[in-house]
Amino acid sequence: MSAGDQLWLPGHRCAALTAPVVDRVHRAAMAAADTAGTELRQRYGGPAAIGYLVDLRTRLAAPAGLVDAAGFAAVTRYQDPASCQRVLDKQVAYGMLVRHPDGALRATERGAAFLTDLYGLHATVTGQIWGAEHAARLVRLVELTGRLLAAALAGGETGGQDAFRAVAPPYEPEGTPAGVLLLNRLTVLRNLRADAHAAAWAAAGHTARSIVDLPPGPARLAIEQETDRRAAGPYQALEPEQRLTLLADLGALPG
């Protein structure tokens, strides 16, 4: 890393500063979609039928899209495994998912139809909350998040990437609106950081349960700093000024 790069924004600091902004923007958009999606959910059988399709949409929406057992376990690492399997049982019973003998998941024809409609709902919602006044900002963010994902997919991160691989690369059919591209890429980036965080707390001797219960303090801070270090890799693919643009444009989105 050059001295000039350090003056701008080093990768680990960019990872640290970007994470809460990504969370805010992502959660606001997903909450808006959840509010707007009542009719869609009911049309396909309600929340019990949909289950994890929303979380895994970026891979399961792809033709022959598959999420393996390790990926599902990583995405749900803070949840009770038995409860997760019961949710999957219901989705299989509703005809939304197929669960292979090795635990891998894929959408059925009905599940794929739901995901197509979900992409449409997300297009409508992101068009409303990130309106025309944010059009240029969305174009920049789609380009920058695309660079981050390309760098992450090329490898080089420290620790496991099971949650990331469960949702990446995101399915982006031709004509996908910029708002949907950004929302789905933010979903993937959140899972990438979740993997870095899991690797950091595991290296410190924690489990998924114990890290949730760990109070603020030096031990928690050390894990967060190690998470930033492990998550820094993709941000090296951005020029220093692009890192600032990423932060500024995400920060300017409502939510």
Side-chain angles (χ1 to χ4, degrees):
M1 182 186 301
S2 69
D5 187 55
Q6 292 181 40
L7 287 173
W8 278 90
L9 191 63
H12 71 281
R13 285 295 298 149
C14 190
L17 293 171
T18 301
V21 188
V22 167
D23 281 349
R24 176 187 64 79
V25 171
H26 182 270
R27 287 173 178 165
M30 293 301 289
D34 186 65
T35 298
T38 301
E39 188 277 331
L40 175 61
R41 289 192 297 274
Q42 293 306 315
R43 195 187 332 147
Y44 283 92
I50 293 165
Y52 294 109
L53 276 167
V54 177
D55 298 320
L56 303 174
R57 68 190 182 281
T58 58
R59 290 306 307 136
L60 293 182
L66 201 70
V67 174
D68 64 22
F72 179 75
V75 170
T76 59
R77 59 171 57 96
Y78 299 109
Q79 302 174 39
D80 174 62
S83 297
C84 292
Q85 292 304 311
R86 287 194 292 271
V87 172
L88 290 178
D89 289 342
K90 292 179 181 179
Q91 285 191 265
V92 171
Y94 273 98
M96 302 293 281
L97 280 177
V98 171
R99 181 168 47 194
H100 294 276
D102 63 358
L105 305 170
R106 67 172 175 83
T108 63
E109 184 175 345
R110 180 173 174 79
F114 165 73
L115 290 171
T116 296
D117 289 345
L118 181 66
Y119 268 53
L121 173 69
H122 286 175
T124 299
V125 169
T126 56
Q128 291 170 345
I129 63 175
W130 303 330
E133 66 272 25
H134 296 288
R137 183 169 290 116
L138 288 179
V139 170
R140 290 193 298 268
L141 285 169
V142 166
E143 195 274 333
L144 293 173
T145 54
R147 289 190 179 214
L148 292 175
L149 293 185
L153 286 165
E157 275 45 75
T158 302
Q161 288 187 313
D162 286 334
F164 173 68
R165 299 292 178 184
V167 296
Y171 179 53
E172 299 177 346
E174 186 175 355
T176 302
V180 178
L181 293 176
L182 178 61
L183 177 60
N184 288 347
R185 291 178 185 186
L186 294 182
T187 295
V188 176
L189 289 172
R190 291 178 83 242
N191 279 279
L192 181 64
R193 183 171 178 88
D195 282 335
H197 186 52
W201 55 247
H206 283 279
T207 65
R209 177 60 184 271
S210 68
I211 190 61
V212 170
D213 295 334
L214 183 66
R220 165 75 68 175
L221 178 60
I223 290 170
E224 294 302 325
Q225 290 174 335
E226 177 63 10
T227 299
D228 296 335
R229 186 189 69 78
R230 290 173 182 265
Y235 294 94
Q236 307 295 346
L238 301 183
E239 296 297 326
E241 187 170 356
Q242 291 175 324
R243 298 175 199 172
L244 294 176
T245 298
L246 176 72
L247 279 168
D249 280 342
L250 283 171
L253 289 179

